[in-house]
Amino acid sequence: MMPGSSGGSWKSSGTGGAGGDGGVPDQFPAGLRVLVVDDDSTCLMILEKMLRHCKYEVTKCNRAEVALSFLRENKNGFDVVISDVHMPDMDGFKLLEHIGLEMDLPVIMMSADDSKSVVMKGVTHGACDYLIKPVRIEALRNIWQHVVRKRKHEWKDFDPSASADEQKQPEEPDYSSSANEGNNWKNTKRRKDEDDEADERDESSSLKKPRVVWSVELHQQFVAAVNQLGIDKAVPKKILELMNVPGLTRENVASHLQKYRLYLRRLSGSQHPGGMNAGFMGSDAGYGSISSLNGLDLQALAASGQLGQLPPQSLATLQAAALGRSNNAKSTISVPVIDQRNLFSFENPKSRYPEVQSQHLTSNNSSKQINLLPGIPTNMEPKQFVSLHQSGHHSFGGMNNLVLIQMGGQSQVHVHSQNQTQSQAQSNVNTHNVLRQPVMSNEMLTRGGVADMAPTAVYNPVVSVSQASSLVNFSMNHKTDSCGTSYPLGGSLGISSLPTASSALQGDGNLDTKVSRKGIVPSYDIFNDLNQNRDWGLPDVGLTFDQSPHTIQSGLDGSNPLLHQHNRASGRDLGGHNRNLTSGKVVLPPGVETRTRHNGSNVGQPRNVYVKTENDIDGSCHNTLYSEQYGQDDLLAAILKQQQQQQGVGEPENEFVFDGYTLDDLPV
Amino acid sequence: MERNQMHTQVANTRKSLFDQGYLDDQFIQLEELQDSSNPNFVEEVVTLYYRDSARFLSNLDQALEKRPLDFSKLDNLMHQFKGSSTSIGAKKVKTECTHFRNYCSARNAEGCKRTFQNVKKEYTTLRKKLEAYFQMSRQVGPVETACQAR
């Protein structure tokens, strides 16, 4: 043990070897990888010793910035973080936010200050626990519970079935926001299960994070419950009770609600300065950058007007937005509100970037503007884009913009651009081709280490295009390597109507969007009803991560990116599901931050991709979708091209990786 | 023998530190952390504490020289110092720190200065006592608490 070395950070593994991640011994919680941050060297030394005594693997830092970089470099290198509140270089709560947003790790705050206000602050910022100094070793012994709890919540979002003890790693990645982390840990846990008590085993299974797929039906139930309670009074607990769905947790509902609120806000207002209009809104919601959308042929599409049934007004708005905004820097993905808001793109509530939202995408650089052509009801989550831009900081771009482009006459294309702009998002998201909105660029997610941001996988609700798949669900679920969560694309949701496009969205190409070509619409219709006028006044939808942003786990890998039918992706659940929308590449405009909730509870969003597209997109669908569906070949082409720019459209897998998605180009 | 006597002496000294309120339970926590792999842990921690906290004290001194007093800054500094002191179980020091912070919130300059003197006094007293204690322990050699001689 290094005596008295308080500066810097190093790993001191009790066993003398860097336990390394995942290399924990079987004796859970032994080997728990803890990062301790405290500017007080004395405390740091003591804590380290105590933690080592608990058989944890300890890394200590006396500066928050160092801690953050540590965390970013080792995405899955830690299980829990303990941080002091008062630190000279960065406020402990700020660090908490960052960690929650980027990595979604459980964070325990500590301080000598035990005043209620400070403790409350810890709670509101999403800290898992608050320890009063001087910390006793007993208090540290049980910190593993927070890790388990968090994992459990995450998994719960997943399909319950997924939480099988034996859940294989491969499955996990899809769901777990921090796949590796979860995996490693789970592995460890799993191993440990053998020798540990049976309940450990149960725990591990519960750790699996099942993602809740917000199917149309489920969403309808949800909406019905919300309406029954009144949007103002709708609290997750009551909603849960009303819905009475077994296996659904309050957290699922909470995150979904957040998204929903965001969505409503968007709908209600493009006038809603604060709200993002991303997503469903068609009304001028921030189309702001529609015009700026780079090359978005959305405009073309819009022009063609054939897209789906964009209500004239939405088209108009789109156009206006597009023109007006021009350049909102990427994020303005104004999603034309297709009259049916069927897509609820629950963009990741940009909890973080409230301001972004207001702009409805017009603001700043939301790269993701997916504003899809006026005609195309793209449910871009303008907010997300906006937030992406705005936040500048790595916000989780989680906005998954699902741009669903309805190809073909009736089909509505909803482009959901989920911008999950995670810090990195900016780069990725950028071009959000309208079509591809699903901005949850994985990249973005991965980038900033935002592992879980992805969780907010925006649901790219793929609106089932009535026509066969005109819905191009661009929800890109970014499959961030780290977190596949970004899109809650309910992979399982059969993305209806997302024609192959779904694949396009997915960066990872595997669009196995479940979109079934058959005219998805049913869900879509539902959404429409639901969406319409819902005033989701969620100002910043940030799905609170605290719950488990993991849901966004980018399940992207596998799920078909676009076509996640379930638009409902409640923030949390979306994680897994949205993948389909744009797996992997949810390119959220840099500015866009998909909110997957960052700090502890911050962003909760992205899972909103509520795209229910029923098309069965076979992965490649995206591109093909467009071409097929869209009556407007040119539109599609344009859009596709954009996508292609990103990834080379045309491939089924798509790629709609919106990495390079620059919203600016989106022609709206 | 002397050794036993010395052991006893060490034990008594230690006990008196607690009885007189210089140390509290936290110190015992530190002692419990000490083990054969780190036999001088407690002493190391205390040494570290005195080294680092000197900085806080000088900052506080400086801040108290300013006119007018910046109470929130004083409070911040003292908060940190108090946290450190608490973590090693320096009970009396901690108590004086609390008084100081109370005066700070009341914006009582005189009170602050006065209590600060107390803080420093307790701090120094404790330091001497602990140094003596550690030295004695080292001489005694390994004891129950595994304080080994260097």
Side-chain angles (χ1 to χ4, degrees):
Chain A
M1 257 285 262
M2 290 103 103
S5 40
S6 47
S9 52
W10 65 89
K11 219 167 171 100
S12 44
S13 21
T15 51
D21 25 344
V24 292
D26 295 341
Q27 312 299 325
F28 177 78
L32 197 69
R33 297 157 303 165
V34 185
L35 177 67
V36 184
V37 190
D38 193 337
D39 61 313
D40 185 337
S41 313
T42 311
C43 289
L44 207 57
M45 184 178 179
I46 297 172
L47 280 169
E48 187 204 13
K49 190 81 167 95
M50 286 181 171
L51 290 165
R52 296 266 307 270
H53 266 239
C54 296
K55 310 251 189 326
Y56 296 152
E57 214 180 82
V58 186
T59 306
K60 44 183 190 174
C61 284
N62 63 356
R63 292 186 60 81
E65 292 293 346
V66 174
L68 266 182
S69 61
F70 242 59
L71 288 166
R72 287 179 183 141
E73 285 160 23
N74 307 304
K75 289 285 179 61
N76 302 306
F78 298 100
D79 298 310
V80 63
V81 179
I82 302 180
S83 171
D84 188 36
V85 167
H86 295 275
M87 290 191 286
D89 62 333
M90 187 194 289
D91 181 43
F93 294 115
K94 204 147 177 359
L95 178 65
L96 166 61
E97 274 183 23
H98 279 303
I99 296 176
L101 281 171
E102 292 181 32
M103 294 118 206
D104 190 34
L105 285 175
V107 181
I108 297 172
M109 302 304 292
M110 54 174 185
S111 176
D113 192 347
D114 62 349
S115 63
K116 193 173 120 188
S117 58
V118 183
V119 178
M120 177 63 86
K121 208 168 162 197
V123 172
T124 53
H125 280 72
C128 288
D129 202 352
Y130 191 99
L131 304 176
I132 308 291
K133 286 182 175 178
V135 179
R136 298 177 64 89
I137 193 171
E138 292 80 25
L140 294 177
R141 269 193 218 285
N142 287 331
I143 61 174
W144 59 266
Q145 62 174 297
H146 301 295
V147 183
V148 174
R149 189 176 296 119
K150 208 171 184 62
R151 298 263 168 88
K152 197 177 158 72
H153 283 321
E154 290 175 3
W155 283 326
K156 263 171 97 149
D157 287 344
F158 279 121
D159 291 331
S161 55
S163 55
D165 186 23
E166 275 44 62
Q167 196 152 23
K168 294 307 168 209
Q169 295 296 322
E171 292 176 338
E172 294 301 286
D174 296 351
Y175 306 109
S176 51
S177 47
S178 42
N180 303 344
E181 181 180 342
N183 291 342
N184 288 341
W185 212 65
K186 275 193 43 90
N187 285 336
T188 309
K189 280 214 54 171
R190 229 187 311 217
R191 262 184 266 128
K192 189 176 88 63
D193 285 343
E194 320 309 15
D195 51 301
D196 266 1
E197 345 20 81
D199 52 278
E200 283 296 347
R201 197 183 308 270
D202 297 337
E203 277 179 320
S204 51
S205 46
S206 58
L207 286 179
K208 310 248 184 113
K209 309 186 259 207
R211 277 203 189 235
V212 164
V213 172
W214 280 88
S215 63
V216 177
E217 301 74 37
L218 197 61
H219 180 74
Q220 276 181 313
Q221 275 182 282
F222 169 82
V223 176
V226 167
N227 289 339
Q228 198 176 329
L229 295 166
I231 188 67
D232 294 329
K233 298 214 190 51
V235 289
K237 190 158 159 41
K238 295 212 180 105
I239 297 173
L240 187 65
E241 284 167 11
L242 279 179
M243 284 176 72
N244 195 21
V245 170
L248 195 64
T249 68
R250 197 199 72 79
E251 291 79 20
N252 299 146
V253 176
S255 56
H256 193 74
L257 177 65
Q258 220 167 1
K259 296 208 195 125
Y260 185 66
R261 285 208 181 113
L262 208 58
Y263 164 72
L264 286 182
R265 260 185 352 143
R266 284 205 296 273
L267 287 186
S268 66
S270 355
Q271 307 68 33
H272 195 80
M276 309 206 291
N277 339 276
F280 305 107
M281 25 142 322
S283 43
D284 78 49
Y287 294 161
S289 35
I290 301 188
S291 46
S292 50
L293 291 177
N294 39 13
L296 268 189
D297 298 298
L298 283 181
Q299 274 179 345
L301 283 174
S304 44
Q306 292 171 12
L307 299 177
Q309 309 74 19
L310 275 186
Q313 59 201 11
S314 47
L315 276 175
T317 46
L318 267 176
Q319 247 162 0
L323 300 175
R325 309 290 175 117
S326 59
N327 290 284
N328 288 309
K330 345 185 233 180
S331 47
T332 46
I333 305 183
S334 41
V335 180
V337 179
I338 309 191
D339 56 10
Q340 22 254 56
R341 315 252 189 180
N342 26 46
L343 300 177
F344 302 140
S345 37
F346 281 142
E347 332 183 305
N348 314 331
K350 288 195 286 209
S351 47
R352 291 261 272 207
Y353 308 101
E355 58 259 7
V356 171
Q357 315 221 336
S358 47
Q359 315 205 353
H360 1 261
L361 310 183
T362 53
S363 49
N364 44 62
N365 47 75
S366 31
S367 40
K368 299 213 226 156
Q369 309 207 343
I370 315 194
N371 187 337
L372 322 168
L373 313 175
I376 303 179
T378 50
N379 294 328
M380 301 207 309
E381 315 233 288
K383 283 204 273 207
Q384 309 217 334
F385 287 129
V386 175
S387 49
L388 287 177
H389 295 306
Q390 307 205 344
S391 40
H393 39 268
H394 53 268
S395 35
F396 307 149
M399 297 223 290
N400 293 326
N401 292 313
L402 265 188
V403 175
L404 293 180
I405 296 185
Q406 285 190 337
M407 320 235 218
Q410 290 77 0
S411 46
Q412 302 179 332
V413 178
H414 286 280
V415 178
H416 263 300
S417 40
Q418 295 187 338
N419 307 327
Q420 287 199 335
T421 41
Q422 300 194 343
S423 44
Q424 328 273 355
Q426 328 209 335
S427 43
N428 307 332
V429 177
N430 214 15
T431 33
H432 216 39
N433 289 327
V434 175
L435 296 186
R436 306 203 276 182
Q437 304 288 332
V439 188
M440 296 262 295
S441 41
N442 289 335
E443 281 118 39
M444 298 210 314
L445 294 178
T446 50
R447 289 281 173 155
V450 176
D452 294 311
M453 288 297 306
T456 50
V458 175
Y459 275 132
N460 290 310
V462 175
V463 177
S464 50
V465 178
S466 51
Q467 292 308 340
S469 62
S470 28
L471 268 182
V472 177
N473 227 342
F474 292 120
S475 46
M476 309 234 271
N477 294 331
H478 51 100
K479 284 179 321 186
T480 46
D481 23 322
S482 51
C483 32
T485 59
S486 49
Y487 291 111
L489 293 179
S492 47
L493 285 186
I495 300 199
S496 50
S497 72
L498 270 191
T500 54
S502 52
S503 50
L505 290 182
Q506 286 194 334
D508 37 41
N510 31 8
L511 269 186
D512 34 332
T513 48
K514 285 66 143 22
V515 174
S516 45
R517 299 280 172 84
K518 26 190 201 179
I520 12 188
V521 187
S523 52
Y524 188 81
D525 295 335
I526 295 174
F527 281 116
N528 293 338
D529 300 335
L530 297 175
N531 302 340
Q532 294 185 352
N533 345 313
R534 280 229 194 239
D535 180 44
W536 292 13
L538 272 189
D540 48 349
V541 184
L543 292 184
T544 42
F545 276 135
D546 41 4
Q547 298 302 346
S548 45
H550 305 296
T551 54
I552 302 219
Q553 302 281 344
S554 30
L556 297 178
D557 335 331
S559 42
N560 40 66
L562 308 178
L563 307 177
H564 273 299
Q565 286 291 344
H566 62 214
N567 311 347
R568 312 274 190 143
S570 39
R572 302 230 295 185
D573 349 274
L574 284 183
H577 309 309
N578 280 335
R579 294 248 232 123
N580 53 40
L581 290 181
T582 43
S583 52
K585 293 289 197 75
V586 174
V587 177
L588 289 178
V592 177
E593 44 195 70
T594 42
R595 294 248 234 129
T596 44
R597 141 172 150 102
H598 277 277
N599 27 354
S601 42
N602 343 296
V603 191
Q605 33 176 315
R607 309 269 185 124
N608 306 309
V609 180
Y610 290 86
V611 175
K612 275 185 100 67
T613 44
E614 278 143 11
N615 350 7
D616 53 19
I617 299 185
D618 44 311
S620 44
C621 39
H622 269 315
N623 299 321
T624 50
L625 255 182
Y626 290 163
S627 36
E628 310 175 81
Q629 270 87 30
Y630 276 126
Q632 310 101 38
D633 286 349
D634 51 341
L635 272 181
L636 275 180
I639 298 176
L640 290 177
K641 211 180 318 175
Q642 299 239 307
Q643 296 170 354
Q644 283 169 1
Q645 295 167 356
Q646 333 269 340
Q647 12 178 295
V649 166
E651 300 137 16
E653 328 224 341
N654 219 72
E655 337 264 92
F656 276 171
V657 173
F658 291 120
D659 302 324
Y661 215 77
T662 49
L663 288 179
D664 299 314
D665 303 334
L666 287 178
V668 166
Chain B
M1 346 281 60
E2 308 85 36
R3 194 165 173 94
N4 284 344
Q5 280 172 2
M6 282 175 74
H7 273 269
T8 310
Q9 212 173 353
V10 169
N12 286 342
T13 306
R14 178 180 169 280
K15 189 167 179 303
S16 75
L17 286 172
F18 284 98
D19 291 343
Q20 291 170 20
Y22 287 101
L23 296 176
D24 62 19
D25 198 43
Q26 189 63 17
F27 191 81
I28 298 178
Q29 292 264 313
L30 298 187
E31 288 179 325
E32 286 172 358
L33 289 174
Q34 190 161 274
D35 55 17
S36 54
S37 70
N38 204 345
N40 297 315
F41 178 69
V42 184
E43 189 174 353
E44 286 165 10
V45 174
V46 172
T47 308
L48 181 62
Y49 161 73
Y50 275 100
R51 194 178 73 204
D52 281 357
S53 55
R55 188 168 34 100
F56 285 121
L57 288 180
S58 72
N59 287 345
L60 275 162
D61 261 326
Q62 285 173 14
L64 281 167
E65 296 296 320
K66 296 206 165 85
R67 295 287 176 279
L69 289 183
D70 181 350
F71 286 107
S72 69
K73 179 166 181 202
L74 286 172
D75 190 69
N76 268 344
L77 286 170
M78 184 50 84
H79 174 80
Q80 295 184 43
F81 176 74
K82 182 183 169 196
S84 248
S85 307
T86 318
S87 66
I88 68 156
K91 193 170 174 185
K92 287 199 179 184
V93 176
K94 181 175 83 168
T95 306
E96 294 300 330
C97 289
T98 306
H99 290 327
F100 180 93
R101 290 189 79 198
N102 289 341
Y103 281 117
C104 265
S105 352
R107 305 183 76 82
N108 183 334
E110 276 314 306
C112 282
K113 294 201 196 119
R114 204 165 6 100
T115 44
F116 186 61
Q117 297 309 314
N118 289 346
V119 168
K120 283 198 285 192
K121 185 164 76 84
E122 292 297 342
Y123 174 82
T124 314
T125 307
L126 178 65
R127 178 187 210 149
K128 290 203 197 103
K129 286 189 182 283
L130 284 174
E131 277 174 359
Y133 169 69
F134 287 130
Q135 194 172 18
M136 202 188 301
S137 308
R138 262 181 271 137
Q139 285 168 2
V140 165
V143 292
E144 320 79 73
T145 51
C147 284
Q148 290 179 359
R150 286 282 168 97

